[in-house]
Amino acid sequence: MSARLIRTLALAEVEQLIDWAAAEGWNPGLDDAAAFQASDPEGFIGAFVDGEMVAAIAAVAYGASYGFIGLYISRADRRGQGHGKAVWDVGMARLAGRTIGLDGVDEQFENYRRKGFAPAYRTIRFGGAFTCAPVERRELSIITPELLLQVVAFDRGSFPEPREAFLARWLMPPHSACVATSQGAVTGYGVMRKCRAGWKIGGLSALDDAAAIALVSHLASSVEGEVFIDVPAARRQFIDLLTDAGLRPGFETTRMYRGEPIPLAPELFGVTTLELG
C-alpha cells in the first residue's frame, strides 16, 4: 500500500471535507468552509494516499484551554484501513493538555467514552416550517461593525474561549445575523445560514427565553423553507416555544468532554455548529 501522508488542509480541501459531510447526511452550510478555517487555520487535518484525501478531521484549538473535535470522516471506499485512526491520533495530539469537546451521535457514544470522553448534556435538533408570526421587539437589529465587538464579548458567556476570527466571518453575509439589545447592552444574538436543505440557526445566545425566541422568530420569518436549530435538552421552556411555532424534534447528539468538563452556559440556546462547537 502507498505511504500515507498526514497534513493540514488547504481551503479547497476543507470544502471537500464539508462535501463529505453533506454526503453523510449532516446538511452543512453552503458557505461553511471559509468561516470554519478562520477559526483555526491549522486545525483541519487530512490523510492522503497517492495525493488523494482519504480521511480528515477538525481538531480546532480555541484560546489556551479548549479544543473541539468534529468533521471526523473517512472516505467510504477507504474505511477499515487505519486512515481514520491516524487523523484522530494526530488531531488529539494537537489538542493535548486542553479540555476537548465533541458532539457525538448515539451510535458512537460508547466509542467516545472508551476514548476518555464523558457526557455533559443532550442536544436535540428541532426543525420544520416556523409558523409563528415575527415577534415585535424594537431592540432587534442587524450586527453592525460597531456592535460586533459587543457581540464577541457577549459570546464569551456561552463559549469557553474567545473566537473573534471565527465570529468576524460567521456573523457577516452571506449569513444572516441579528442582535438583541436593551438600553444599549447586548442581551442576545442569533445567526442563520443557508444549508444544503433549509436553513440552520446557530449560534443562538441570549439572557432569557423571550430574547431567544424573538431572535429565532426574526430570523426564521425572513426566509422560506424549513429551519433547524440544535438546542440543549435542558432548555425546556424554549423548546415549548419552538414546538408551539411548529418545529419538531429530530435526531439527538450528546456533548461530551475529555478533561475538565464545561457546564452548560445559561446563555446558550442554540449550538453554533455540531462540527466546531
Side-chain angles (χ1 to χ4, degrees):
M1 186 172 70
S2 300
R4 178 171 55 222
L5 171 68
I6 297 180
R7 62 168 174 79
T8 301
L9 301 186
L11 178 59
E13 292 158 345
V14 177
E15 291 172 344
Q16 181 183 354
L17 175 56
I18 291 171
D19 286 341
W20 287 3
E24 294 290 326
W26 298 357
N27 193 28
L30 297 182
D31 301 287
D32 282 353
F36 279 12
Q37 192 187 48
S39 64
D40 180 2
E42 304 299 315
F44 296 83
I45 300 161
F48 294 79
V49 176
D50 296 331
E52 293 187 351
M53 189 163 70
V54 295
I57 196 169
V60 173
Y62 294 102
S65 67
Y66 186 53
F68 201 86
I69 291 288
L71 289 170
Y72 177 37
I73 307 175
S74 292
R75 208 172 76 187
D77 63 326
R78 302 305 295 264
R79 290 172 184 170
Q81 300 174 6
H83 304 307
K85 183 179 186 302
V87 294
W88 172 273
D89 289 345
V90 172
M92 292 297 291
R94 183 173 191 269
L95 300 179
R98 301 167 180 265
T99 290
I100 304 173
L102 59 79
D103 287 310
V105 296
D106 289 348
E107 293 80 1
Q108 294 296 324
F109 181 84
E110 290 301 330
N111 182 36
Y112 291 135
R113 191 196 288 272
R114 287 192 295 270
K115 295 178 184 296
F117 287 81
Y121 58 86
R122 296 284 281 176
T123 299
I124 307 168
R125 175 163 295 176
F126 284 83
F130 193 87
T131 58
C132 183
V135 175
E136 290 295 331
R137 192 179 178 96
R138 296 180 187 176
E139 302 91 343
L140 289 181
S141 63
I142 62 171
I143 296 177
T144 62
E146 293 76 19
L147 280 172
L148 178 60
L149 291 178
Q150 292 185 56
V151 172
V152 168
F154 184 85
D155 182 68
R156 287 289 286 112
S158 58
F159 202 80
E161 284 277 7
R163 47 178 179 171
E164 294 98 330
F166 170 75
L167 288 173
R169 283 182 174 266
W170 198 251
L171 297 170
M172 294 296 131
H175 296 176
S176 299
C178 63
V179 59
T181 58
S182 177
Q183 298 181 338
V186 171
T187 60
Y189 81 91
V191 186
M192 182 175 67
R193 72 195 198 277
K194 185 76 175 75
C195 294
R196 308 300 170 94
W199 306 76
K200 282 185 186 175
I201 295 175
L204 178 69
S205 297
L207 293 183
D208 53 40
D209 296 278
I213 198 63
L215 288 161
V216 171
S217 176
H218 178 80
L219 291 167
S221 63
S222 69
V223 297
E224 295 183 358
E226 293 187 317
V227 295
F228 302 92
I229 180 170
D230 296 302
V231 183
R235 298 287 173 259
R236 298 195 178 277
Q237 183 174 345
F238 179 61
I239 286 172
D240 288 343
L241 295 171
L242 292 177
T243 55
D244 288 346
L247 302 193
R248 295 293 176 260
F251 79 92
E252 300 186 17
T253 53
T254 301
R255 172 61 60 89
M256 306 180 77
Y257 293 109
R258 193 168 94 164
E260 188 68 26
I262 298 171
L264 174 62
E267 297 90 348
L268 181 61
F269 285 81
V271 176
T272 303
T273 77
L274 299 183
E275 295 84 8
L276 262 66

